[in-house]
Amino acid sequence: MLKPGIFITGTDTGVGKTIVAAGLAMALRSRGLRVGVMKPVATGCQGTDQHLVSMDAVFLMEAAENEYAALSSPARFRHPLSPNVASALEKKPIKISEIVRAYQELQRHYDFIIVEGIGGLLVPISKDYFVANLIKEFELPLLIVARSGLGTINHTLLTVDAAVVRGFDIRGIIFNRMPTVNFSMVEVTNPKVIHELTGIPILGSLPEMDHVDVETCKFGNLKEIFLERIQIDKVLNPSEVLR
Ligand SMILES: Nc1ncnc2c1ncn2[C@@H]1O[C@H](COP(=O)(O)OP(=O)(O)OP(=O)(O)O)[C@@H](O)[C@H]1O
Ligand SMILES: [Mg+2]
């Protein structure tokens, strides 16, 4: 049975997909949902060649208290490159069928699945197969993570455009790293401008947070801040009843 879930994409790499995915996992768990997390392809992994670890996957699994590492992180590469390039360099082909099988298996264990994308929508996973193709395969709605500062109108509209053309259901946009001091007209006006231009719900903004770091697995007050600032109900379809 297809379980509800969400695919977290970003307007770029490093925008805060992992932070948002982890915050959402913790927020939904606090409502009693069993949340499964997945980073379908991870590059820039650490450890030995026999035991490569994705810090994105570790962070997500900690947030969601998951235990099936092989399902959450089925394809790992050392080089911090796009998946197609890392895969060619490390001579390890990416088997989409195995990734889909891991996703299906994860659905058997959890009520709601959060998948973190790789970079943005048009990052190549292999020849002629992009992150967008994987979203189609997973049949998941989208959540877009965007920067809060200058340049985000263009990047967000490009992402929305690419998603709409492919018929994706965009549940909302979250702006990340809102400055808490010294913010300007840019950060204040961007969400409203983007909402007016796209009609897509703005689910909220996450501030620049202390003691939050993916690489060293620090959560700070991410859960509390996420619950306070983000409208998580809009991530869920009304038919996806919360327990
Ligand atoms: N709101 C925030 N406050 C403080 N630090 C943040 C915030 N958002 C993200 N970061 C930090 O910025 C870095 C990039 O964020 P994150 O890893 O979530 O981006 P990403 O989109 O998942 O990147 P990738 O494309 O590599 O998966 C991380 O080190 C993270 O800890
Ligand atoms: Mg990430």
Side-chain angles (χ1 to χ4, degrees):
M1 198 193 93
L2 194 68
K3 294 280 178 64
I6 193 102
F7 194 103
I8 315 277
T9 193
T11 54
D12 196 358
T13 186
V15 290
K17 296 182 296 294
T18 308
I19 292 292
V20 166
L24 181 62
M26 293 191 285
L28 293 178
R29 273 175 51 80
S30 72
R31 293 202 178 183
L33 279 182
R34 293 180 308 154
V35 178
V37 288
M38 186 177 195
K39 177 85 183 182
V41 182
T43 62
C45 292
Q46 303 169 11
T48 62
D49 283 348
Q50 284 69 38
H51 190 70
L52 281 175
V53 175
S54 153
M55 281 317 292
D56 278 13
V58 169
F59 195 80
L60 296 178
M61 289 181 66
E62 283 271 326
E65 293 190 27
N66 279 195
E67 52 188 315
Y68 307 101
L71 304 180
S72 289
S73 183
R76 302 175 305 280
F77 298 91
R78 178 178 303 286
H79 292 81
L81 300 166
S82 72
N84 60 331
V85 181
S87 153
L89 202 64
E90 296 173 35
K91 297 188 173 52
K92 285 193 298 187
I94 296 175
K95 298 191 182 103
I96 300 297
S97 58
E98 282 180 13
I99 292 172
V100 172
R101 216 173 306 130
Y103 171 61
Q104 288 165 344
E105 181 68 16
L106 209 58
Q107 293 186 65
R108 299 198 317 115
H109 295 287
Y110 299 102
D111 303 322
F112 189 93
I113 310 293
I114 299 175
V115 182
E116 179 190 339
I118 306 105
L121 288 179
L122 295 186
V123 164
I125 292 180
S126 60
K127 196 171 173 290
D128 300 333
Y129 195 97
F130 300 85
V131 168
N133 295 83
L134 196 62
I135 297 170
K136 266 238 152 76
E137 201 114 31
F138 283 7
E139 296 182 64
L140 284 174
L142 277 188
L143 184 59
I144 297 172
V145 183
R147 289 184 218 283
S148 51
L150 196 62
T152 206
I153 296 178
N154 179 54
H155 282 141
T156 308
L157 295 195
L158 285 172
T159 299
V160 168
D161 219 44
V164 168
V165 161
R166 288 164 178 79
F168 295 150
D169 168 13
I170 310 172
R171 293 279 165 92
I173 301 169
I174 292 178
F175 292 92
N176 190 30
R177 305 193 91 149
M178 277 279 177
T180 49
V181 286
N182 296 332
F183 51 84
S184 70
M185 279 295 282
V186 176
E187 289 89 2
V188 174
T189 54
N190 271 340
K192 187 165 181 281
V193 170
I194 290 173
H195 177 64
E196 282 171 0
L197 290 171
T198 63
I200 294 168
I202 307 300
L203 307 190
S205 301
L206 288 178
E208 183 67 36
M209 293 175 279
D210 291 330
H211 313 298
V212 170
D213 185 45
V214 172
E215 284 72 27
T216 54
C217 214
K218 289 202 185 80
F219 291 92
N221 294 325
L222 176 59
K223 177 179 165 185
E224 293 72 23
I225 292 172
F226 201 95
L227 280 165
E228 196 180 292
R229 310 271 187 117
I230 306 296
Q231 300 176 53
I232 58 172
D233 286 341
K234 295 208 171 135
V235 174
L236 306 159
N237 202 313
S239 65
E240 293 157 9
V241 181
L242 284 175
R243 289 202 245 148

